[in-house]
Amino acid sequence: MYVITGVTGNIGSQVADILLARGDKVRVIGRNADSLRRFVDRGAEAAVGNLKDSAFLTRAFSGATAVFAMIPPDYTAQDFRAYQNEVGTSIATAIRNTWTTYVVNLSSQGADLPAGTGPITGLHDQEERLNRLNGVNVLHLRCTYFMENLLMNIPLIKEKGFAASAVRPDQKFAMIATRDIATVVAKHLVKRDFRGKSLRDLLGQRDLSLSEAFSIIGREIGRPELNYVQLDYEEAARDYREMGISADVSRSFIEMNKALNEGRFAVKRPRTANNSTPTSIEEFATIFAETYRAPGRQKAA
Ligand SMILES: NC(=O)c1ccc[n+]([C@@H]2O[C@H](COP(=O)([O-])OP(=O)(O)OC[C@H]3O[C@@H](n4cnc5c(N)ncnc54)[C@H](OP(=O)(O)O)[C@@H]3O)[C@@H](O)[C@H]2O)c1
């Protein structure tokens, strides 16, 4: 039995799809029974509850051959690192309570740093927490920036005709499609080919800047003139707040953007076959275009 957290999200959903297509036994965790139905209809067992609840999670992890663990974002958290640590502690407690022996943990580039990287600091804490569990094999997947983050620009592109964030337009960094992460997660859950505490970097197909990424996307969506514009940090923080993101999460995102601009993580990492994955930005641009053309997403949040 493979247990999947964050299963209605970017990565968990695709991990569950891969395992269910193989005919594996899967237990999916989410807070809403209706949103788990599409997995249950294909044979998954549903565990409905909150990751903060370690008693619930202990039941959900019971009998697991391997767990895919992640700390989902809560954009409304008043103290984001405290929220991450609450969920992280609950996950670690359930792993210990159930004697789960294989855990694939979703982490991030920059998780080696204890401070100065915004939301990634909570993933640093979680790596350390899971590393303290005796007798558990844990593989931390240090993923880079998700290409799916670029989708957040769709309302802005439709309303104002450009894409924007606080990241420098010319900063080249690693970007990855979440389907590539899901493929790696599913493989490690099934093979359980890791021992003790280990790390794997996942850096996507190649490094590129946001200007390059949006120029490729612009051509695919029929807007070859599409520009990427850098916002100053105050402007970007204001935009986050207008999107309903809490003051602390906005501050945290700005800290992460600064760290990326200053080259503190996800830049100039040596590429190998083990840390590179297949999906190119050109392929992702077709996924972007499908979402762009789909009904809805007409207004900025
Ligand atoms: N974005 C990036 O560039 C990047 C890069 C590296 C690492 N990461 C890390 O990747 C993770 C996010 O992965 P993702 O994008 O696949 O996730 P996601 O799409 O945000 O989905 C997470 C899912 O978790 C569920 N969830 C949220 N809070 C929950 C709670 N308290 N209890 C139970 N379920 C809860 C939600 O489903 P329900 O509402 O259905 O419960 C949600 O669909 C984060 O840890 C992030 O730091 C992100």
Side-chain angles (χ1 to χ4, degrees):
M1 171 73 77
Y2 302 112
V3 179
I4 314 294
T5 61
V7 78
T8 54
N10 287 311
I11 298 165
S13 61
Q14 299 179 85
V15 174
D17 286 344
I18 294 168
L19 297 174
L20 289 169
R22 282 170 38 92
D24 290 324
K25 287 178 99 180
V26 175
R27 187 178 296 142
V28 293
I29 299 180
R31 292 170 297 180
N32 181 310
D34 284 344
S35 58
L36 300 180
R37 195 172 308 282
R38 67 184 167 114
F39 304 106
V40 172
D41 287 347
R42 284 178 290 150
E45 205 180 282
V48 180
N50 199 306
L51 293 175
K52 292 179 181 175
D53 178 352
S54 66
F56 156 71
L57 220 44
T58 297
R59 290 192 297 279
F61 285 4
S62 292
T65 314
V67 167
F68 171 55
M70 65 176 299
I71 302 177
D74 175 358
Y75 298 121
T76 65
Q78 299 306 304
D79 179 340
F80 193 53
R81 196 166 184 174
Y83 154 78
Q84 288 174 300
N85 283 326
E86 184 182 3
V87 172
T89 300
S90 173
I91 288 171
T93 303
I95 291 167
R96 202 191 51 224
N97 288 347
T98 51
W99 299 92
T100 298
T101 47
Y102 286 93
V103 177
V104 176
N105 175 48
L106 183 65
S107 187
S108 174
Q109 288 293 293
D112 50 319
L113 303 169
T117 56
I120 302 168
T121 53
L123 306 186
H124 166 87
D125 296 345
Q126 182 66 348
E127 284 195 6
E128 298 218 315
R129 185 177 291 112
L130 297 180
N131 286 346
R132 288 193 293 271
L133 295 175
N134 290 327
V136 187
N137 302 299
V138 184
L139 173 63
H140 304 293
L141 294 179
R142 286 192 177 163
C143 308
T144 191
Y145 182 99
F146 299 170
M147 289 181 188
E148 278 74 2
N149 297 342
L150 305 176
L151 296 171
M152 284 194 314
N153 281 274
I154 288 177
L156 186 63
I157 296 171
K158 287 189 171 173
E159 280 182 21
K160 305 240 171 92
F162 59 85
S165 83
V167 176
R168 273 173 36 203
D170 59 336
Q171 174 67 289
K172 277 186 188 275
F173 56 96
M175 284 184 208
I176 190 166
T178 57
R179 70 183 186 193
D180 290 353
I181 302 173
T183 302
V184 172
V185 170
K187 187 198 120 219
H188 287 301
L189 290 174
V190 171
K191 287 196 163 179
R192 298 184 293 287
D193 51 357
F194 48 99
R195 295 285 173 274
K197 309 300 186 284
S198 53
L199 294 170
R200 180 168 174 187
D201 288 319
L202 290 178
L203 303 180
Q205 190 252 0
R206 69 180 193 268
D207 289 13
L208 71 165
S209 69
L210 287 173
S211 280
E212 290 167 331
F214 279 109
S215 138
I216 292 161
I217 285 168
R219 286 199 293 276
E220 191 65 37
I221 63 174
R223 300 185 81 137
E225 78 297 347
L226 183 64
N227 266 335
Y228 168 77
V229 174
Q230 182 179 10
L231 304 175
D232 66 40
Y233 293 126
E234 290 73 28
E235 223 179 338
R238 228 181 8 257
D239 283 357
Y240 287 139
R241 299 304 310 279
E242 279 171 15
M243 289 162 76
I245 294 174
S246 77
D248 191 56
V249 177
S250 301
R251 177 205 55 74
S252 181
F253 281 175
I254 296 298
E255 185 176 275
M256 179 173 63
N257 289 339
K258 276 187 188 159
L260 193 54
N261 284 340
E262 290 161 11
R264 297 185 64 198
F265 71 98
V267 301
K268 297 189 181 126
R269 304 291 313 276
R271 278 187 179 277
T272 64
N274 191 52
N275 67 25
S276 298
T277 56
T279 304
S280 65
I281 191 69
E282 287 79 7
E283 289 170 272
F284 178 77
T286 64
I287 298 172
F288 189 106
E290 277 167 29
T291 313
Y292 183 83
R293 292 190 188 111
R297 283 185 185 261
Q298 300 297 324
K299 291 223 159 286

